[in-house]
Amino acid sequence: MDFSSKLLENAVNEVSRLPGIGKRTALRLVLHLLKQPKENTKYLTEALTHLRNDVKSCKKCHNISDTVLCDICSNPKRNAEIVCVVEDIRDVMAIENTAQYRGLYHVLGGKISPIEGIGPQNLQIESLVEKVKEGEIKELIFALSSTMEGDTTNFYIYKQIEKYGVTTSTIARGISVGDELEYADEVTLGRSIINRIPFEQSIRG
């Protein structure tokens, strides 16, 4: 792709680094920004700069937050005895959109994947086990995507907390095997949360 401007080329190269965006899409986005008033580009760059510099990780659930404790963890109306274990922020948003869950969350930050070099030590598993040890949690809901990596992560966590006697469940398989949670519709995902099953039952097939 030939560029008439080095500045344009540099901008396209940077935008194309974003996931799912190729050079042609990046070029279209950059040209769109060039057609907008300069203030619009300024607002965008300021928003991204503030996001990068000021965003926090909730010290309790590891969700993305503007404050030390996220809005969910700091909400006294949420049931702190039930914790839903998810992969990332997108899954929290997907489940919240169902309006069917009133417990708390624990964001792992990924799934165990030896092929990608991601082990238990790379995820927020130790802090989850510590929460269970404290005895305040009555039930853990495993809500990772129904892939091999998701099932492996669920089973690993289950073995770590098994001796503490906490109830473990997993979302019902209204979510198709191999599906990512964030792409499920709200009705299906909501029903899967409500109709969750004991985790031990899921690993027995």
Side-chain angles (χ1 to χ4, degrees):
M1 188 178 289
D2 295 326
F3 294 90
S4 59
S5 162
K6 192 67 178 176
L7 294 174
L8 176 63
E9 181 179 2
N10 290 341
V12 169
N13 287 339
E14 290 304 316
V15 173
S16 67
R17 294 175 186 270
L18 296 171
I21 297 184
K23 285 288 179 70
R24 291 186 183 280
T25 302
L27 176 60
R28 188 163 61 249
L29 291 172
V30 171
L31 291 177
H32 171 76
L33 288 173
L34 281 177
K35 292 177 183 177
Q36 303 304 303
K38 287 186 177 181
E39 302 81 55
N40 290 10
T41 307
K42 178 184 176 183
Y43 297 147
L44 174 61
T45 55
E46 286 179 351
L48 292 174
T49 300
H50 284 308
L51 172 70
R52 203 68 187 90
N53 293 338
D54 302 331
V55 74
K56 296 175 176 60
S57 174
C58 174
K59 70 174 185 179
K60 190 170 184 179
C61 74
H62 310 292
N63 192 6
I64 289 176
S65 174
D66 294 341
T67 53
V68 177
L69 272 185
C70 71
D71 291 343
I72 297 173
C73 286
S74 59
N75 185 347
K77 295 182 179 179
R78 305 293 293 222
N79 185 352
E81 294 185 342
I82 303 176
V83 172
C84 187
V85 182
V86 297
E87 180 181 348
D88 62 29
I89 174 63
R90 294 170 296 180
D91 300 328
V92 173
M93 294 170 69
I95 294 173
E96 284 297 286
N97 285 337
T98 71
Q100 298 294 329
Y101 177 69
R102 298 302 299 166
L104 300 182
Y105 294 92
H106 185 91
V107 181
L108 295 176
K111 296 172 290 192
I112 295 173
S113 178
I115 293 177
E116 297 179 9
I118 302 174
Q121 71 280 1
N122 303 117
L123 305 175
Q124 296 291 350
I125 292 178
E126 186 176 342
S127 60
L128 175 60
V129 175
E130 287 300 318
K131 286 182 190 177
V132 173
K133 282 183 182 179
E134 291 171 3
E136 294 182 7
I137 299 174
K138 303 302 181 187
E139 180 184 1
L140 277 187
I141 303 173
F142 294 121
L144 273 64
S145 53
S146 52
T147 59
M148 183 179 294
E149 292 82 3
D151 289 344
T152 298
T153 308
N154 286 340
F155 186 71
Y156 178 86
I157 296 171
Y158 171 73
K159 296 305 290 183
Q160 298 301 304
I161 55 94
E162 186 178 16
K163 61 185 176 183
Y164 299 112
V166 65
T167 298
T168 53
S169 59
T170 184
I171 56 176
R173 293 301 189 183
I175 308 299
S176 301
V177 173
D179 277 1
E180 296 290 343
L181 211 63
E182 63 177 299
Y183 300 120
D185 65 273
E186 285 88 351
V187 174
T188 300
L189 184 54
R191 287 175 179 167
S192 295
I193 289 287
I194 293 172
N195 298 320
R196 59 188 182 273
I197 60 175
F199 183 70
E200 294 90 337
Q201 182 178 329
S202 73
I203 59 179
R204 286 197 296 267

